[in-house]
Amino acid sequence: MASSACGSDGRAGWFAVLAMWTRLFIWSAVFKTIGMMLPLLQDQFNTTTGILGWITSTIGTTTGLFAITSRLMGRWFGPGYVIMTCGTMIGVSVIMASFATSPIHLACVFILLTGTGFGISGVLIKEAIARRFTTNYATATGIARTGDSIGLFVCAPIVQVFIDTYGWRGAMLLVGAISMHLVVCGALVLRAGAPSASRYQKLPADDGISKHPSQLPSRCTSFYKNLFEIFDIRLLSDFRYWSVAIIACCSKFAFHMWHIYFVSQAKSNGFSLQEAATFVTVGGVGGLIAKLVQGFFLDRGVISSFHLTATAVAVCSVSYCATPWLTSYWPMMTSSLLILTSSGALSCLHDVLSKQVLGVDLLVGTFGWIYFTAAILEFSLGFLPGWLFDTTGSYTTAFVFIGSLQFLPMFPLLILRYYRCFERDAQEELT
């Protein structure tokens, strides 16, 4: 049954799903740990929350910057070895953070090791899932994506127990040890032989280079050609990539901004901190269910990925815009549930659309450049909702901006839909 779900080797496919689930669980654990320790770290290092928040946000930026090197790393060393190395980097970085004596130490280990490990491993694991699951890909992606949702539920109470029992340094050590589980997942992927893009081919003996060693221009041309191929730079001139990237990056950015500002916005609307936490918890359950249900609908042909994505984008956008005006309990609960449910489905649909539109051979470059683009977007515009609040004194403008940005993917989605219909019609005419 597992083999039929994957299309080739069920074991390797589900090992890749386990690796993705573990990586997302660890991602939630690390960020939840840092978030819960912010007051303790502020007192310990005599620093500001702004500096610690900047260090945390730059982890995501580093993740995007190093993600574009995933294809190169995967070709040189193989996905399994790279995933194991990334798991070691993440675990060691969190363990080293427990010995930090200043914010500079935290910045060095989190930015250089944690961000790099998450960025490269994420791209290679997602590509392994896409290559193994020729059928039921949406279902596999949904199962893998539940890792961060479950991590949010589980990690908060566990980390609190760690802090109360062992202090913040002991809690960091234990979270670092938990993060080492990604090394085991990488070993499983390696043992199962997860496929990757073809490696470099050896030049034949009569390739002409040995006969004409002085042809420097030819070698330079070959070097740049290989460089473009390794990093898939040609994607940057493909409108299909930019369409998928806009859908993914705008949705991720909008959700991250909502995640940052929702509790403060809810409190400004008269809700207590406990009520805001309840909204997020109930919405998180909806997001977890949506990740699983979308795979069932897509893989069984109940609804197309384009229609489901368009519906999720529209519902999410309207809910973002409506949030500032909701002052009653149940309307705010409904808005949070719709946002997190739609965002949960969109987090899976990004990967499904990428595979459908660009094909499996371009997925490493596509995922890498999407991570890179998302990092640039968050670094450039991440301040804007907070600036809008500081300027206007209200979250209304900020959430309308977030909702408008969430609606932007509707336009490239319609373009992709038109392109696919035009391509299908052309093929029907030829046949």
Side-chain angles (χ1 to χ4, degrees):
M1 182 176 179
S3 297
S4 62
C6 295
S8 56
D9 185 351
R11 184 181 61 176
W14 290 113
F15 282 162
V17 169
L18 176 62
M20 187 65 178
W21 189 96
T22 304
R23 176 193 172 273
L24 292 173
F25 183 91
I26 293 170
W27 174 276
S28 297
V30 171
F31 276 86
K32 178 61 68 175
T33 300
I34 297 173
M36 295 177 67
M37 290 182 181
L38 281 180
L40 298 175
L41 296 176
Q42 184 178 355
D43 294 337
Q44 178 73 31
F45 300 136
N46 193 24
T47 186
T48 63
T49 304
I51 292 177
L52 295 174
W54 175 82
I55 293 173
T56 307
S57 65
T58 51
I59 296 176
T61 304
T62 310
T63 297
L65 294 178
F66 281 93
I68 60 175
T69 65
S70 302
R71 185 183 181 92
L72 180 63
M73 296 295 104
R75 279 186 166 188
W76 278 1
F77 306 107
Y81 287 113
V82 176
I83 295 169
M84 291 174 64
T85 303
C86 290
T88 303
M89 292 171 63
I90 296 169
V92 169
S93 67
V94 180
I95 293 173
M96 290 176 63
S98 68
F99 298 97
T101 57
S102 71
I104 297 177
H105 295 163
L106 290 178
C108 290
V109 296
F110 282 150
I111 294 174
L112 296 179
L113 296 178
T114 311
T116 305
F118 276 125
I120 297 175
S121 63
V123 172
L124 293 178
I125 295 172
K126 290 204 295 185
E127 189 230 3
I129 296 175
R131 286 187 177 276
R132 282 299 182 185
F133 284 88
T134 55
T135 58
N136 294 326
Y137 174 59
T139 301
T141 301
I143 294 173
R145 287 279 182 181
T146 60
D148 55 353
S149 299
I150 296 176
L152 289 175
F153 291 124
V154 173
C155 292
I158 291 179
V159 171
Q160 189 60 57
V161 171
F162 288 167
I163 294 174
D164 294 339
T165 306
Y166 305 105
W168 74 268
R169 295 187 185 274
M172 280 281 192
L173 280 171
L174 291 171
V175 173
I178 293 173
S179 301
M180 285 292 187
H181 282 79
L182 187 57
V183 179
V184 180
C185 294
L188 292 174
V189 172
L190 175 64
R191 183 178 180 82
S196 62
S198 59
R199 296 177 178 269
Y200 296 111
Q201 296 180 353
K202 293 184 178 181
L203 290 172
D206 57 347
D207 58 1
I209 295 179
S210 57
K211 297 179 181 179
H212 304 282
S214 61
Q215 292 184 350
L216 182 60
S218 254
R219 294 184 177 184
C220 291
T221 302
S222 178
F223 170 76
Y224 284 112
K225 183 178 179 180
N226 289 332
L227 190 66
F228 270 69
E229 180 184 353
I230 291 169
F231 292 102
D232 280 325
I233 298 178
R234 64 186 183 278
L235 284 171
L236 301 181
S237 61
D238 192 333
F239 85 93
R240 296 175 302 167
Y241 161 74
W242 285 110
S243 299
V244 173
I246 290 172
I247 296 170
C249 295
C250 289
S251 300
K252 290 179 181 179
F253 178 83
F255 179 70
H256 288 169
M257 293 301 102
W258 179 89
H259 203 290
I260 292 172
Y261 295 104
F262 172 73
V263 173
S264 299
Q265 189 277 329
K267 292 176 67 177
S268 69
N269 279 15
F271 297 101
S272 66
L273 185 61
Q274 291 74 16
E275 288 174 328
T278 302
F279 296 150
V280 175
T281 302
V282 173
V285 174
L288 177 63
I289 296 174
K291 292 174 181 179
L292 298 173
V293 171
Q294 60 83 31
F296 175 85
F297 286 145
L298 291 181
D299 291 332
R300 284 151 187 81
V302 177
I303 187 174
S304 70
S305 58
F306 287 92
H307 288 110
L308 186 56
T309 304
T311 303
V313 167
V315 170
C316 210
S317 175
V318 172
S319 301
Y320 282 139
C321 293
T323 297
W325 286 280
L326 302 178
T327 56
S328 300
Y329 185 87
W330 288 110
M332 181 64 88
M333 175 73 77
T334 303
S335 173
S336 303
L337 181 62
L338 290 175
I339 288 173
L340 285 167
T341 301
S342 301
S343 297
L346 284 172
S347 67
C348 303
L349 290 167
H350 301 155
D351 297 345
V352 175
L353 284 175
S354 298
K355 183 178 181 180
Q356 288 182 348
V357 173
L358 291 161
V360 70
D361 291 333
L362 294 176
L363 280 183
V364 175
T366 300
F367 291 146
W369 283 109
I370 286 177
Y371 276 38
F372 182 86
T373 307
I376 297 299
L377 179 64
E378 292 205 24
F379 183 79
S380 304
L381 298 181
F383 75 95
L384 195 54
W387 177 81
L388 290 172
F389 171 76
D390 293 336
T391 303
T392 62
S394 170
Y395 283 104
T396 302
T397 307
F399 273 74
V400 170
F401 165 73
I402 294 172
S404 301
L405 194 66
Q406 176 62 83
F407 190 77
L408 187 62
M410 192 67 73
F411 299 103
L413 188 65
L414 292 174
I415 293 174
L416 286 175
R417 179 62 177 170
Y418 173 77
Y419 172 78
R420 287 173 62 83
C421 289
F422 174 81
E423 184 179 35
R424 184 171 61 250
D425 293 341
Q427 290 176 351
E428 290 176 354
E429 290 179 2
L430 290 174
T431 56

